[in-house]
């Protein structure tokens, strides 16, 4: 026998088409492969998700561990301290809620700090743009507005809203917006948030080693903390941003990588807080900088957003959007991004490597988020343009020195975004009788079967955008009106669902409503903190009447089909605690066949709240949501009207004959 060298068979490369349905992202991932550049898709395909962590069967809350239990035999073992699988899972879950809530509430508190400084006259680069919104928010929490100056109202509003964060006893201000029956339920369970800081502190405390070891009690505090996010930090972020920058109303916008322009200086803002982005809009329009760009040979400066601040600026001002979370590395592979300017949340560290490969300036701006290898130019609300002007200057200089081939996928999708709660009210009822009554009526008469929120991230563990798109298709086909935020909104926008013409994809009832009002079958309302707009819309539906007395009575459901972040878990928990059936895809971070699983998936609903669901297949997910909506319609006694609407032609002929 001769000694032959053992030849290792090269593993075939995964098919990029299995990673994403987005054509632009596919093209850029193919280019990345040619250029030898690695992205999160590559890493996800070579790094198997940790099976123990995936089911939350491990604990590292103290140095007697880390302890690893067996999710296949959940009650076979306990941790060194005796902690059961339910304690361990509920503590891990609680800490995801705490982190997610902290992210949104810190963002909201930043907006409130800015608001205070604007009102006090210490900051003049921003102003109150929407006084009507200032008045309506103040009124909604019982602040007198009649005959008072805007400044006095704003000062009172600041004082009130600060309690959202700092209050140690009592109820957060926006609890006043919660439908009375829902609030009553929260009071009964003692889950009305006091202040976000207190709730997060409490939750971190009780999930420490050797404190709360009753999964039901831990989950109560998870709900309370999550509610401090949805009805607290996130809602403050949305409302204050509207007051400062204007409440969104429908605007036509282009999305996808084709919004980049080869002959212009391209700047992408990616992150979550609108203040830096607002300032960037000013900087890119600054005549001297535009002149500089022209001197460098560019036809001007082109600004686009990505992820959530992108979704917010798209919905509020019509700023073009280049793509969602799983496209942030891919977009840099175009070679056309002269600067990517980031603030906080969902900023992959991998962006540094990709930016280095293409000579893109990756610039961090927030003291909370520095990344090794990125350039840091700190942003301050007091001198906002110092930072954003410098970013523009860096981008111009990179444009001048572009030395790599540019390849921009020429794909742009136009759609209408910016459906705030206020605009939905106006759109349905007209300016003199703005109201949700027509929406409720159309739900009661069955033209609209129910309402679904489809929100959240994209995740390289599933085919990018696919679950979002197929789920929304199924929902609208079944006459479910879809409300969207964040990366999910951007996903659907890329496939043409944000045009009034998309109404033809809807079932006959929803189609009729869309055509009458001239709206698309999905309404895009902004970033992830803008999920609070869905809570406000739900409260308004309850208030208008005919659909039950609490949010839990509404024929509504929620989904985050491709979620990945802790913020998504906090959002899911506040929707559940508010009464909504909320389905997550990809994976669910706890083990099945456990008491904690039963509590989240059944028990909470029995307590009068909502419940969690899990399903990775979009069609099955749609079925779960539609079945829930139908169950609620039945409980409301409006299932009969719906049956009439869904009569087939044959049924109708039979009736006519009779
Ligand atoms: O808050 S949807 S990937 S960008 S976490 Fe992140 Fe998820 Fe996108 Fe925004 Ni929301
Ligand atoms: Fe193990 Fe208990 Fe320590 Fe967790 S808290 S690591 S279960 S000993």
């Amino acid at each position: 026998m001769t000694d032959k060298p053992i030849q290792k068979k090269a593993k075939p490369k995964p098919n990029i088409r299995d990673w994403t349905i987005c054509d632009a992202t596919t093209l850029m991932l193919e280019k990345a492969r040619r250029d030898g550049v690695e992205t999160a898709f590559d890493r996800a395909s070579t790094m198997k998700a940790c099976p123990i962590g995936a089911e939350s069967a491990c604990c590292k809350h103290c140095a007697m561990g880390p302890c690893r239990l067996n999710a296949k035999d959940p009650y076979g073992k306990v941790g060194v301290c005796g902690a059961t699988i339910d304690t361990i899972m509920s503590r891990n879950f609680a800490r995801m809620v705490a982190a997610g809530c902290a992210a949104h509430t810190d963002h909201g508190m930043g907006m409130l700090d800015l608001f205070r400084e604007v009102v006090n006259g210490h900051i003049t680069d921003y102003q109150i743009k929407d006084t009507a919104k200032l008045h309506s928010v103040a009124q909604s929490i019982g602040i007198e507005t009649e005959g008072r100056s805007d400044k006095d109202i704003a000062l009172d509003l600041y004082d009130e809203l600060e309690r959202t964060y700092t209050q140690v006893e009592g109820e957060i201000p926006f609890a006043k917006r919660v439908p009375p029956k829902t609030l009553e339920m929260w009071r009964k369970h003692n889950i009305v948030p006091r202040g976000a800081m207190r709730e997060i502190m409490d939750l971190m405390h009780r999930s420490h080693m050797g404190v709360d070891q009753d999964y039901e009690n831990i989950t109560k505090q998870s709900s309370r903390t999550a509610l401090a996010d949805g009805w607290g930090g996130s809602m403050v972020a949305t409302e204050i941003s509207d007051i400062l920058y204007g409440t969104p109303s429908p605007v036509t916008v282009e999305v996808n990588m084709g919004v980049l322009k080869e002959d212009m200086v391209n700047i992408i803002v990616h992150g979550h807080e609108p203040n830096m982005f607002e300032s960037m809009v000013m900087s890119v329009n600054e005549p001297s900088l535009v002149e500089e760009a022209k001197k460098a040979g560019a036809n001007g400066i082109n600004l686009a957003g990505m992820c959530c601040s992108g979704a917010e600026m798209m919905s509020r001002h019509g700023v073009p959007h280049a793509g969602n979370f799983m496209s942030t590395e891919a977009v840099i592979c175009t070679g056309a991004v002269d600067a990517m300017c980031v603030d906080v949340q969902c900023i992959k560290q991998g962006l540094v490597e990709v930016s280095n490969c293409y000579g893109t300036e990756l610039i961090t701006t927030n003291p909370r988020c520095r990344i090794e290898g990125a350039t840091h130019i700190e942003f301050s609300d007091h001198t906002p343009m110092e930072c954003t002007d410098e970013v523009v200057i860096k981008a111009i200089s990179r444009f001048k020195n572009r030395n790599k081939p540019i390849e921009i996928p020429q794909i742009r999708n136009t759609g209408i975004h910016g459906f705030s709660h206020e605009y939905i009210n106006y759109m349905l009822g007209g300016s003199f009788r703005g109201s949700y009554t027509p929406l409720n009526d159309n739900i009661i008469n069955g033209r609209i079967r129910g309402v679904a929120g489809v929100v959240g991230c994209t995740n390289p563990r599933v085919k990018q955008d696919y679950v979002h798109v197929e789920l929304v298709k199924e929902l609208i086909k079944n006459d479910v009106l879809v409300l969207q935020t964040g990366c999910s909104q951007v996903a659907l926008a890329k496939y043409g669902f944000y045009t009034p013409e998309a109404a033809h994809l809807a079932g006959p009832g929803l189609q009729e409503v869309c055509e009458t009002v001239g709206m698309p079958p999905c309404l895009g309302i902004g970033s992830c903190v803008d999920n609070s707009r869905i809570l406000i819309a739900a409260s308004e539906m309850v208030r208008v009447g005919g659909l039950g007395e609490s949010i839990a009575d509404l024929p509504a459901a929620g989904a985050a089909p491709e979620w990945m972040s802790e913020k998504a878990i906090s959002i899911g928990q506040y929707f559940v605690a508010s009464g909504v059936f909320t389905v997550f895809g990809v994976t669910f971070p706890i083990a099945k066949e456990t008491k904690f699983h039963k509590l989240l998936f059944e028990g909470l609903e029995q307590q009068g709240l909502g419940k969690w669901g899990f399903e990775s297949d979009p069609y099955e997910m749609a079925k779960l949501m539609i079945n829930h909506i139908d169950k609620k319609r039945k409980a409301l006694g409006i299932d009969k009207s719906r049956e009439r609407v869904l009569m087939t032609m044959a049924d109708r002929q039979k009736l006519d004959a009779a």
Side-chain angles (χ1 to χ4, degrees):
M1 234 170 103
T2 51
D3 275 352
K4 262 198 201 157
I6 301 166
Q7 278 200 345
K8 259 197 176 170
K9 246 197 183 164
K11 253 193 170 175
K13 290 231 186 316
N15 185 351
I16 290 171
R17 276 290 172 195
D18 291 336
W19 287 349
T20 178
I21 58 165
C22 172
D23 290 333
T25 305
T26 302
L27 286 170
M28 287 307 102
L29 291 175
E30 283 165 354
K31 178 166 188 289
R33 200 171 265 179
R34 288 196 303 276
D35 296 345
V37 173
E38 186 192 83
T39 68
F41 284 106
D42 297 289
R43 292 185 288 272
S45 75
T46 52
M47 188 193 294
K48 203 170 162 272
C50 166
I52 302 147
E55 304 204 78
S56 199
C58 52
C59 176
K60 55 179 177 69
H61 289 204
C62 86
M64 295 189 285
C67 299
R68 184 202 281 186
L69 272 48
N70 180 359
K72 302 277 164 305
D73 178 20
Y75 294 102
K77 256 203 311 194
V78 293
V80 173
C81 65
T84 62
I85 187 92
D86 296 302
T87 297
I88 290 175
M89 292 191 303
S90 58
R91 280 197 306 220
N92 290 343
F93 195 81
R95 290 204 163 184
M96 294 181 87
V97 170
C101 173
H104 287 143
T105 52
D106 204 21
H107 165 175
M109 196 160 181
M111 293 304 111
L112 201 58
D113 286 338
L114 169 59
F115 178 65
R116 179 193 60 235
E117 294 299 277
V118 168
V119 177
N120 285 330
H122 299 152
I123 288 180
T124 48
D125 287 85
Y126 301 94
Q127 279 106 35
I128 290 181
K129 274 223 187 96
D130 193 338
T131 48
K133 180 89 189 208
L134 170 72
H135 289 219
S136 71
V137 176
Q139 285 157 6
S140 77
I141 53 172
I143 294 172
E144 184 57 55
T145 54
E146 199 58 35
R148 301 184 66 205
S149 74
D150 288 346
K151 178 158 183 181
D152 283 348
I153 296 168
L155 285 171
D156 279 3
L157 182 62
Y158 173 79
D159 283 343
E160 266 302 291
L161 292 186
E162 196 193 53
R163 296 200 290 113
T164 304
Y165 305 93
T166 55
Q167 180 170 271
V168 290
E169 232 10 278
E171 298 180 348
I172 52 169
F174 284 139
K176 293 202 175 75
R177 292 175 158 187
V178 179
K181 268 267 152 37
T182 303
L183 188 59
E184 198 180 290
M185 191 72 66
W186 293 358
R187 286 184 180 142
K188 191 176 121 202
H189 295 301
N190 199 23
I191 57 170
V192 188
R194 292 161 289 184
M197 288 173 170
R198 174 128 214 197
E199 302 314 348
I200 294 166
M201 181 165 64
D202 181 322
L203 193 56
M204 290 306 284
H205 175 192
R206 75 174 67 209
S207 55
H208 184 277
M209 185 273 154
V211 188
D212 204 345
Q213 285 149 105
D214 175 334
Y215 69 98
E216 287 192 80
N217 207 39
I218 294 168
T219 306
K220 263 194 190 177
Q221 184 57 25
S222 292
S223 295
R224 201 176 193 182
T225 308
L227 291 172
D229 173 351
W231 297 85
S234 283
M235 201 172 276
V236 170
T238 296
E239 300 297 60
I240 293 294
S241 300
D242 282 358
I243 292 171
L244 289 175
Y245 310 125
T247 304
S249 61
V251 55
T252 304
V253 202
E254 285 188 333
V255 301
N256 220 330
M257 291 189 201
V259 302
L260 296 177
K261 309 237 160 60
E262 182 159 0
D263 60 349
M264 292 176 93
V265 175
N266 291 302
I267 298 176
I268 285 183
V269 177
H270 157 31
H272 285 80
E273 300 183 343
N275 40 355
M276 182 263 285
F277 207 148
E278 290 278 345
S279 174
M280 191 66 81
V281 173
M282 310 278 285
S283 289
V284 300
N285 287 302
E286 172 63 37
S288 62
L289 291 174
V290 176
E291 200 43 47
E292 265 315 296
K294 290 194 170 148
K295 264 197 243 152
N299 265 334
I301 309 170
N302 181 40
L303 177 63
M306 286 193 96
C307 287
C308 272
S309 47
E312 187 164 334
M313 295 298 279
M314 161 175 86
S315 301
R316 185 174 281 121
H317 302 306
V319 175
H321 198 289
N324 57 24
F325 177 66
M326 279 318 293
S327 300
T328 55
E329 289 169 313
V331 80
I332 292 175
C333 302
T334 57
V337 182
D338 296 300
M340 180 179 273
C341 186
V342 303
D343 55 13
V344 287
Q345 301 169 21
C346 306
I347 321 291
K348 298 184 196 86
Q349 190 161 0
L351 289 170
V352 174
E353 247 334 281
V354 184
S355 299
N356 281 342
C357 295
Y358 294 96
T360 292
E361 289 279 359
L362 180 68
I363 299 163
T364 54
T365 57
N366 192 292
R368 296 172 190 83
C369 171
R370 283 190 178 226
I371 308 176
E372 205 185 330
T375 305
H376 188 77
I377 304 176
E378 194 137 319
F379 174 83
S380 158
D381 286 331
H382 288 266
T383 50
M385 288 177 72
E386 272 181 20
C387 164
T388 49
D389 282 358
E390 202 179 327
V391 171
V392 175
I393 291 165
K394 281 214 175 311
I396 294 171
S397 124
R398 192 278 184 176
F399 176 90
K400 251 192 294 196
N401 299 311
R402 278 183 188 177
N403 55 11
K404 298 251 162 50
I406 308 278
E407 193 180 318
I408 301 172
Q410 291 304 321
I411 307 171
R412 280 176 294 275
N413 314 88
T414 306
I416 306 170
H417 299 261
F419 289 86
S420 56
H421 151 72
E422 286 79 358
Y423 189 81
I424 296 174
N425 206 35
Y426 161 78
M427 166 178 80
L428 294 167
S431 52
F432 294 109
R433 46 183 185 89
S435 157
Y436 272 51
T437 308
L439 173 65
N440 282 27
D441 286 351
N442 277 312
I443 293 174
I444 294 165
N445 70 28
R447 277 192 196 94
I448 295 177
R449 192 177 199 146
V451 178
V454 180
V455 306
C457 326
T458 50
N459 181 327
R461 301 267 172 216
V462 296
K463 201 190 276 187
Q464 182 192 13
D465 298 342
Y466 167 77
V467 197
H468 289 293
V469 171
E470 293 307 309
L471 171 65
V472 170
K473 259 196 217 163
E474 280 303 298
L475 290 171
I476 63 174
K477 202 163 80 188
N478 284 286
D479 292 320
V480 176
L481 175 67
V482 173
L483 303 181
Q484 293 210 278
T485 59
C487 292
S488 185
Q489 177 177 337
V490 175
L492 270 293
K494 287 190 287 178
Y495 306 93
F497 285 73
Y498 277 88
T499 56
E501 296 72 52
H504 76 268
L505 300 166
L510 179 60
Q511 186 173 346
E512 193 184 330
V513 176
C514 289
E515 282 167 0
T516 312
V517 184
M519 68 180 195
C522 1
L523 304 180
I525 59 183
S527 67
C528 275
V529 292
D530 294 329
N531 281 322
S532 61
R533 298 189 201 274
I534 301 182
L535 296 176
I536 296 171
S539 304
E540 193 56 21
M541 286 165 72
V542 174
R543 203 189 58 76
V544 161
L547 294 174
E549 291 182 79
S550 74
I551 296 177
D553 294 335
L554 294 173
E562 301 182 19
W563 77 282
M564 64 87 200
S565 79
E566 291 171 313
K567 290 180 290 167
I569 291 289
S570 180
I571 293 169
Q573 187 66 22
Y574 76 61
F575 271 106
V576 167
S578 298
V580 182
F581 174 47
T582 306
V583 192
F584 271 35
V586 190
T587 179
F588 203 86
I590 64 173
K592 281 193 204 133
E593 315 291 334
T594 56
K595 287 186 275 180
F596 180 54
H597 191 278
K598 207 166 155 61
L599 174 67
L600 294 189
F601 285 67
E602 292 168 34
L604 293 178
E605 188 180 46
Q606 286 153 10
Q607 293 171 17
L609 309 173
K611 65 174 175 183
W612 283 91
F614 169 72
E615 176 55 63
S616 52
D617 177 83
Y619 311 105
E620 292 303 317
M621 193 182 279
K623 256 191 225 156
L624 284 178
M625 295 168 77
I626 292 166
N627 286 344
H628 179 81
I629 285 170
D630 286 350
K631 181 177 97 180
K632 293 294 171 184
R633 294 188 65 88
K634 191 157 187 212
L636 290 166
I638 55 171
D639 49 329
K640 297 287 175 292
S641 57
R642 170 85 205 154
E643 279 166 21
R644 274 202 302 279
V645 169
L646 277 192
M647 265 191 323
T648 61
M649 199 45 111
D651 291 335
R652 243 176 238 133
Q653 280 161 350
K654 245 187 258 161
L655 266 184
D656 287 348

